[in-house]
Amino acid sequence: MRLRERWEDLPIRLRAVLSALFLILALLLLWWLSGWAWPTRALAHRALEREHLFGRGEIVAEGEITHAEDASPFGQSGTHFVVSERDSRYAVSVLRPKWGFLWRSTEDLFWSYQVLIPTEEKPLAYGFLVSDPIYTVRSGSVGTSGWDYLLLVASADPDIVRVEVTMDLVSRNELEQDPDWGLHHGVTVEATETEPGSGLWLAHAVPEGRNGSTYVALRGYNAAGEPVYTYIPQ
């Protein structure tokens, strides 16, 4: 009661100022507990732009991240992505909700924020949005039978209107047998443009395999179906 009496003895203006300070401190504490989450995906992306000194770009794409039904995501995977463009560079953030109404980066994934820089010489650049294993039970034990990949491909060439992606898991022994093993045995999918004319494509591929290096080949075609650019890893 004495504390309450002392509080009531304070001038009204002082009590109002102290109440506002307490509210601000409480909100800051809540924000810190959320991992500095933001009320919208765009604001969360802007925070990552500033953190990585990218500058304020124009948001050109955002959407939901999809997974294969039988994939097993690592930890808390991202649910949405946001892309902004600045000086022909693309900042890509992978985000997930916090407490149902805030958004933050998936910091436990090494591709939670990345910058794609397609050039005239290499007009197609890619980054991962999803890389999750697919487990199956064989002879009573659980093993990896494949991987679920979702790639974002950015183009610097307006003539490219269609993109194909070939993916595989290639072991050292397979490379010794055939240096182009991934190209000959991988899964080829046609990427889907996020919006017509955006120059951004999503490619979802599920190559089979237990282990090995991730193999990614890209092909870009013009409106006549002719190849404009091909990237084959060496």
Side-chain angles (χ1 to χ4, degrees):
M1 292 297 292
R2 293 184 61 185
L3 183 60
R4 181 177 179 180
E5 290 174 356
R6 290 182 179 179
W7 173 259
E8 293 177 348
D9 288 339
L10 295 175
I12 294 178
R13 290 185 179 180
L14 181 56
R15 279 186 282 169
V17 171
L18 291 175
S19 297
L21 288 175
F22 290 146
L23 178 59
I24 292 173
L25 289 174
L27 291 175
L28 286 174
L29 177 61
L30 185 65
W31 193 18
W32 175 73
L33 291 174
S34 73
W36 308 113
W38 296 85
T40 68
R41 294 192 293 270
L43 287 175
H45 179 77
R46 294 300 187 199
L48 289 170
E49 284 181 328
R50 292 191 297 271
E51 179 182 344
H52 294 273
L53 304 178
F54 182 81
R56 186 181 179 87
E58 178 187 359
I59 293 181
V60 292
E62 59 180 305
E64 185 176 0
I65 293 176
T66 58
H67 302 261
E69 292 183 359
D70 48 356
S72 301
F74 288 117
Q76 294 180 310
S77 60
T79 62
H80 290 75
F81 68 92
V82 178
V83 185
S84 61
E85 186 270 335
R86 178 182 172 89
D87 299 329
S88 300
R89 300 179 301 141
Y90 295 86
V92 185
S93 60
V94 178
L95 308 171
R96 63 168 175 254
K98 180 71 175 182
W99 298 341
F101 63 96
L102 298 175
W103 293 90
R104 60 164 296 174
S105 168
T106 53
E107 295 177 348
D108 51 338
L109 302 176
F110 69 87
W111 58 82
S112 60
Y113 177 87
Q114 52 196 309
V115 176
L116 306 183
I117 309 177
T119 63
E120 291 185 5
E121 295 77 17
K122 298 180 179 180
L124 293 180
Y126 72 90
F128 291 98
L129 300 180
V130 168
S131 176
D132 297 324
I134 296 176
Y135 297 116
T136 56
V137 179
R138 296 176 180 175
S139 302
S141 61
V142 178
T144 304
S145 62
W147 284 78
D148 178 32
Y149 291 108
L150 179 63
L151 270 64
L152 179 73
V153 182
S155 171
D157 190 339
D159 290 336
I160 295 178
V161 298
R162 185 167 66 88
V163 173
E164 284 184 348
V165 177
T166 299
M167 295 198 66
D168 199 9
L169 293 171
V170 183
S171 67
R172 181 178 299 178
N173 291 335
E174 291 168 339
L175 284 177
E176 291 176 352
Q177 296 177 39
D178 180 2
D180 294 323
W181 179 278
L183 188 64
H184 297 152
H185 299 84
V187 175
T188 299
V189 298
E190 184 168 335
T192 302
E193 199 167 11
T194 57
E195 288 185 10
S198 67
L200 296 169
W201 283 266
L202 292 172
H204 193 183
V206 186
E208 297 182 353
R210 297 186 178 183
N211 50 48
S213 301
T214 303
Y215 176 96
V216 180
L218 306 173
R219 301 180 186 85
Y221 300 88
N222 61 19
E226 300 168 337
V228 175
Y229 173 73
T230 298
Y231 165 74
I232 298 176
Q234 301 297 323

